[in-house]
Amino acid sequence: SRLTMSESDDDKPLKSSKKEPKPEEDDDDVPLKKAKSSKKENVQSQVKEENAPTAAKESKKKKKTKRKRGDDDDDDDDDDEEDFDTRKKKAPAKKEKSSKSSSKSAKTDGKGQPKKPKKEVKVEPVYEWWKDEQPLAQGKKWRFLEHNGVIFPPNYEPHGVKMKYDGQIISLTPEQEAIATMYAAMSRTDYAGKDVFKKNFWKEFSEKLGKNHAIKDLENCDFQPIVDHLDAEREKKKALTKEEKLKIKQAKEKTEAPYVTVVLDSHLEKNGNFRVEPAGLFRGRGEHPKMGQVKGVIQPEDITMNCSEDACPPRCSLPGHAWQSLVHKDEQTWLAFYKDTINGEFKYVFLSAGSSLKGQSDREKFEKARELKKHVARIRQRITQGLKSSGLEMQQNTALWLIDNLAIRAGNEKDTNEEADTVGCCSLRVEHITLGTDEEGPTIYFNFLGKDSIEYKNLVKLRPKDEEKAKEGEENPCVSFVREGEEKNFRRVVENMRSLTSNSKKPSDDVFDQLNTSSLNTYLKDLMPGLTAKVFRTYNASFTLDQELYKLEDHPEKSSFLRNDATQLKFYNDANYQVAILCNHSRAVSKTFDSQVEKMDEKIKGLHEELADLKKKKKSADNKEQMKKKIANLEERISKQETQKQIKLKLAGVALSTSKVNYLDPRITVAWCKRFGNFPLNKVFNKSLITKFKWAIDEADEDWRF
DNA sequence: CCGGCCGACTCAGAAACTTATAA
DNA sequence: TTTATAAGTTTCTGAGTCGGCCG
């Protein structure tokens, strides 16, 4: 569905935007007061009742006054955009179409073919906190919080399928069977081949088996019967009719409904992760020393609940059980937490990404990055100075240069007995760095495992004078050129790195032996209040997007880009790609990738043959005009296929979504869409992002810049 | 005063699931 | 049309960051 964007003439700075009556707020106050006075009575149902008709009212209002883009032919029907932008209904109806988007309307009218109507997109209603005028006291996150706690996975049901050992059929107790089944479930993953995984699993499994058990080792275990059973179960589930599946889904929705929403102050919010993690084998990333360990069952006794004092506390759904404790911490955003059984890590239940609590802190994050923008020139001057000094100051500023220029993470210390051995800036070791030179000057090659054990391989060098070579490097994701103006600093950084990785150090020694993240952040606090290392990542990601996107402003092909959604989208994605490369956001390449590309090649080849054929026929054809049309058509299909293939190759191992979700100020995207031909936002933001970034959609007009 | 642990939050890619598209 | 596959979306939970507190 295409969600239209208003011309934003009605977008006002945050504070003054409350121009609409907000019935839901007034309505909501009623049940809240009721709840408070009657105390300990669940107010959720009341709030819901009050909210629901309000939402309906809202949408009806909207429908009446909603403008449609001329090109919104297929999917923009009825109610799919009702929650998108409540304020656009006040926008002057004519202006948008007649001015900016005129060229676009013309174009899209043409291609508005009788497509199957797309499934309508429902955007979740969002509490519009940015229009709220009553800020909470410093540090407070809510006045009232009521929820129903968490939902537990079902107890393990023994299936009775027997595994084999040394060819013999073995009977297991339900407890033993449970963890054997966890192992069987992972038999086709990469973990199954890893020694650490097997060793850790065997330790637990053999303990559960007890002394003198018939099973003596993992080597001769045969889990295949259980694997087959799991496969069969999956098949059974798949073979259910549509109706049966729907019934199961609806039943699930019904049981989960009480947990989906919570009451926060006087409105409803979506819960994020109210399902307690089921038991299973731990799947650490990379070479995690604890992979294969059993992640135990979580009981209510492990869980701490958080709600307000005057709320009805969550009931424990498991009979005979009770929560570990109930607290009322209004300076915290979590609803519940427990500790996992692997490393004792905290597992929190939080509100969803679209909630006001998440939205507010998200906005604060981007505002802080924008604050850095104001200070960055000065801070970079300071770094330039610091690079020339020695000792701690040199280390601090060299590290900062890397963080600022390469978007490397801060790099906390890690205990490699408990976690995988990965590094960031402060924890870089000599073995991760290779210094060199090429025709342009010095180079640094980074090769280390970062967060999630994702490889970071980057040859950092000066931009070649030769345009051809520069272009080549630009297209190589493993090469990056030093930012313009930073050439001198880079040479200094290389020298510093040379001394920091000198022969007196072992490969396993720290590069920045005097640094840790907390001292580095203390140093940053002096440069700008609230500044920490991670802000540079946010800042540089968002700044890069803004810069790249606004190159469209005086792009020679601007008008043709604006006329075509596909090319304009590609322009956006190319900018997004730059950020993904900067931040080293990657994703696994599909196992069938090669065959997919092969298929594409064949298709392109087929089209070329078809084209040659047509051209031949054209010579002897009666209707030359018609043939010409056909040829042009085919040529377009070929070029479309070819760009598709290029995009596919380029994005094979690159994830664009991570930066979109976490690093890119959504207002950049919103403003760009509004500015450039009123580009449909839903082509770049999916439903979740539109919900998550509703605040930004409301806030940013076409002139907004990061 | 600082180092290490605790606690709370953001960020991360894989897996599971759903929808769109091609054959 | 039906069906297979690819693309897109959501869920899941692991892995970081960073402030604060305590000994």
Side-chain angles (χ1 to χ4, degrees):
Chain A
S1 147
R2 171 165 291 175
L3 298 163
T4 60
M5 305 247 312
S6 76
E7 203 54 45
S8 318
D9 32 297
D10 56 343
D11 278 323
K12 288 272 161 65
L14 275 187
K15 290 280 161 52
S16 60
S17 62
K18 196 173 176 175
K19 53 161 88 167
E20 309 253 341
K22 299 246 298 175
E24 70 265 32
E25 282 184 348
D26 306 329
D27 292 359
D28 289 347
D29 280 341
V30 179
L32 176 57
K33 275 176 209 142
K34 248 191 274 172
K36 275 185 178 159
S37 54
S38 64
K39 203 168 174 176
K40 310 275 157 170
E41 214 173 288
N42 194 312
V43 302
Q44 183 160 338
S45 52
Q46 301 169 49
V47 177
K48 230 181 241 168
E49 279 160 26
E50 296 292 330
N51 262 30
T54 305
K57 257 186 279 168
E58 275 277 310
S59 60
K60 234 174 263 163
K61 258 194 290 173
K62 254 172 274 165
K63 259 179 234 173
K64 260 183 243 163
T65 48
K66 191 171 64 191
R67 293 158 301 119
K68 287 196 173 191
R69 271 170 71 122
D71 47 336
D72 275 350
D73 43 61
D74 48 355
D75 41 21
D76 181 21
D77 51 58
D78 300 327
D79 43 15
D80 55 355
E81 66 181 47
E82 65 192 28
D83 299 305
F84 180 56
D85 185 350
T86 52
R87 290 190 291 152
K88 70 170 170 244
K89 57 190 161 214
K90 283 211 172 167
K94 286 285 156 59
K95 192 182 157 198
E96 175 188 341
K97 251 194 267 176
S98 54
S99 59
K100 294 224 157 126
S101 53
S102 56
S103 64
K104 174 148 276 193
S105 311
K107 162 222 48 178
T108 23
D109 277 342
K111 73 177 180 193
Q113 294 314 314
K115 254 187 290 172
K116 242 189 294 167
K118 273 192 233 157
K119 251 310 231 338
E120 63 177 42
V121 174
K122 285 257 190 228
V123 176
E124 297 286 346
V126 165
Y127 175 71
E128 299 180 333
W129 52 266
W130 57 96
K131 296 178 184 172
D132 202 341
E133 281 165 349
Q134 284 180 294
L136 288 154
Q138 181 70 29
K140 299 277 187 248
K141 299 293 167 63
W142 42 260
R143 300 180 180 93
F144 181 79
L145 171 64
E146 182 176 272
H147 59 93
N148 289 318
V150 294
I151 200 164
F152 289 91
N155 286 329
Y156 179 74
E157 292 279 353
H159 46 64
V161 176
K162 296 187 177 13
M163 63 176 289
K164 290 181 186 168
Y165 179 75
D166 230 355
Q168 300 294 312
I169 292 169
I170 304 286
S171 284
L172 298 176
T173 67
E175 222 188 7
Q176 295 163 349
E177 184 197 286
I179 71 169
T181 304
M182 292 174 188
Y183 191 76
M186 292 179 72
S187 62
R188 272 189 281 266
T189 68
D190 290 347
Y191 290 101
K194 297 194 174 183
D195 289 339
V196 177
F197 182 81
K198 288 193 272 195
K199 198 193 92 217
N200 286 335
F201 172 73
W202 172 245
K203 185 161 181 286
E204 302 230 20
F205 190 40
S206 58
E207 265 167 35
K208 276 275 183 300
L209 293 173
K211 280 180 196 159
N212 307 320
H213 197 277
I215 298 177
K216 305 280 184 221
D217 53 54
L218 194 59
E219 249 49 25
N220 293 306
C221 284
D222 180 6
F223 296 91
Q224 199 54 44
I226 302 181
V227 174
D228 293 342
H229 168 257
L230 293 176
D231 286 347
E233 289 288 295
R234 199 173 306 125
E235 285 305 312
K236 236 194 259 173
K237 221 171 125 190
K238 233 170 80 184
L240 293 174
T241 65
K242 248 187 195 161
E243 291 72 31
E244 288 167 320
K245 283 181 190 164
L246 186 69
K247 226 171 158 182
I248 291 169
K249 199 180 156 193
Q250 284 170 340
K252 190 182 171 215
E253 270 168 18
K254 201 180 163 195
T255 58
E256 293 191 343
Y259 303 91
V260 171
T261 48
V262 319
V263 185
L264 187 82
D265 293 343
S266 49
H267 58 273
L268 295 179
E269 298 265 11
K270 272 249 151 43
N271 201 342
N273 52 324
F274 51 82
R275 297 178 194 89
V276 170
E277 290 174 22
L281 299 185
F282 179 72
R283 309 157 87 109
R285 306 281 174 92
E287 300 303 313
H288 199 292
K290 302 213 168 173
M291 62 170 75
Q293 264 187 300
V294 174
K295 215 169 57 147
V297 174
I298 300 297
Q299 302 283 6
E301 285 73 13
D302 304 315
I303 306 180
T304 299
M305 286 291 163
N306 192 22
C307 70
S308 48
E309 245 175 309
D310 54 355
C312 170
R315 266 192 309 276
C316 179
S317 57
L318 298 190
H321 286 273
W323 308 124
Q324 183 178 90
S325 62
L326 178 71
V327 297
H328 313 294
K329 300 192 172 189
D330 61 358
E331 299 197 336
Q332 254 78 65
T333 67
W334 53 268
L335 312 185
F337 86 83
Y338 53 91
K339 290 184 179 186
D340 81 359
T341 64
I342 302 294
N343 276 347
E345 310 265 20
F346 287 75
K347 300 277 192 179
Y348 291 92
V349 174
F350 288 120
L351 293 183
S352 73
S355 66
S356 58
L357 290 177
K358 295 286 190 191
Q360 275 164 290
S361 63
D362 229 24
R363 186 172 184 279
E364 279 163 22
K365 172 179 74 183
F366 291 118
E367 284 303 290
K368 193 184 274 185
R370 293 179 78 206
E371 183 67 17
L372 174 56
K373 190 183 180 212
K374 294 184 200 155
H375 295 273
V376 78
R378 177 175 57 79
I379 290 170
R380 283 174 180 164
Q381 276 175 19
R382 180 71 192 77
I383 293 173
T384 302
Q385 289 299 312
L387 287 176
K388 294 173 202 155
S389 61
S390 61
L392 177 64
E393 200 184 348
M394 181 273 268
Q395 293 200 13
Q396 281 171 330
N397 287 285
T398 307
L400 273 185
W401 192 92
L402 299 182
I403 285 169
D404 181 23
N405 285 270
L406 305 177
I408 296 175
R409 295 183 187 83
N412 283 324
E413 300 97 286
K414 294 182 78 181
D415 180 351
T416 51
N417 292 320
E418 312 281 319
E419 306 161 279
D421 177 18
T422 66
V423 301
C425 188
C426 291
S427 48
L428 277 172
R429 298 192 295 262
V430 173
E431 60 199 336
H432 300 130
I433 308 288
T434 312
L435 300 173
T437 48
D438 69 1
E439 46 276 34
E440 321 302 332
T443 62
I444 314 179
Y445 180 61
F446 293 85
N447 184 357
F448 60 86
L449 298 181
K451 182 177 179 178
D452 287 329
S453 294
I454 298 295
E455 266 189 355
Y456 183 95
K457 289 186 171 184
N458 192 7
L459 178 66
V460 185
K461 49 175 284 180
L462 296 161
R463 174 180 291 276
K465 311 234 173 6
D466 184 292
E467 267 310 307
E468 204 65 9
K469 271 189 187 160
K471 195 136 213 180
E472 216 172 278
E474 217 118 71
E475 277 161 27
N476 186 348
C478 295
V479 170
S480 53
F481 297 140
V482 172
R483 214 161 44 205
E484 211 184 314
E486 291 289 339
E487 296 82 0
K488 234 177 162 176
N489 281 344
F490 175 65
R491 290 175 191 275
R492 194 79 219 189
V493 165
V494 177
E495 275 177 46
N496 293 347
M497 292 299 274
R498 198 178 305 285
S499 81
L500 293 170
T501 60
S502 69
N503 296 335
S504 58
K505 277 189 183 174
K506 292 196 297 269
S508 59
D509 283 344
D510 282 349
V511 174
F512 300 109
D513 45 60
Q514 298 183 50
L515 292 190
N516 60 47
T517 52
S518 111
S519 72
L520 192 69
N521 281 331
T522 306
Y523 178 64
L524 285 172
K525 290 273 170 314
D526 274 350
L527 297 177
M528 182 191 114
L531 186 60
T532 64
K534 80 191 271 284
V535 181
F536 282 92
R537 243 169 109 80
T538 312
Y539 163 71
N540 279 308
S542 287
F543 183 77
T544 302
L545 182 79
D546 191 80
Q547 293 295 301
E548 290 295 318
L549 285 184
Y550 280 79
K551 284 181 183 169
L552 185 54
E553 194 75 84
D554 29 44
H555 195 283
E557 288 173 84
K558 178 178 173 183
S559 57
S560 82
F561 277 18
L562 295 197
R563 233 173 287 124
N564 184 322
D565 279 5
T567 48
Q568 192 171 346
L569 177 63
K570 186 172 180 298
F571 187 86
Y572 180 91
N573 285 340
D574 283 346
N576 193 167
Y577 174 85
Q578 298 292 332
V579 177
I581 294 297
L582 177 71
C583 295
N584 200 43
H585 290 144
S586 69
R587 59 173 182 159
V589 177
S590 151
K591 280 188 184 111
T592 55
F593 181 79
D594 286 346
S595 78
Q596 285 174 24
V597 173
E598 216 168 277
K599 252 184 232 165
M600 280 180 121
D601 280 335
E602 270 166 35
K603 196 173 161 192
I604 291 168
K605 204 176 140 201
L607 288 174
H608 272 296
E609 279 164 12
E610 213 177 302
L611 181 69
D613 212 45
L614 265 182
K615 279 184 175 166
K616 228 184 261 170
K617 276 187 192 156
K618 187 189 162 199
K619 285 175 190 160
S620 54
D622 304 327
N623 197 339
K624 297 226 171 185
E625 274 309 304
Q626 203 182 342
M627 292 301 280
K628 219 172 167 180
K629 239 183 194 168
K630 269 190 177 173
I631 287 171
N633 210 306
L634 198 54
E635 277 171 340
E636 204 186 307
R637 271 174 68 198
I638 289 173
S639 94
K640 213 171 155 186
Q641 275 297 312
E642 253 153 12
T643 52
Q644 280 301 309
K645 188 190 153 190
Q646 290 312 314
I647 290 169
K648 194 184 175 77
L649 291 174
K650 189 170 161 186
L651 294 179
V654 181
L656 300 187
S657 58
T658 308
S659 51
K660 222 184 243 184
V661 173
N662 300 301
Y663 285 102
L664 301 175
D665 190 324
R667 292 169 293 186
I668 300 169
T669 301
V670 170
W672 184 82
C673 285
K674 287 179 180 172
R675 187 182 189 88
F676 293 99
N678 216 24
F679 190 67
L681 186 65
N682 65 339
K683 287 194 186 284
V684 282
F685 282 175
N686 63 28
K687 189 185 133 202
S688 314
L689 290 176
I690 288 191
T691 304
K692 173 173 174 164
F693 295 139
K694 182 101 198 319
W695 60 270
I697 294 166
D698 254 22
E699 181 183 344
D701 60 24
E702 78 246 38
D703 295 322
W704 193 94
R705 290 298 292 270
F706 178 73

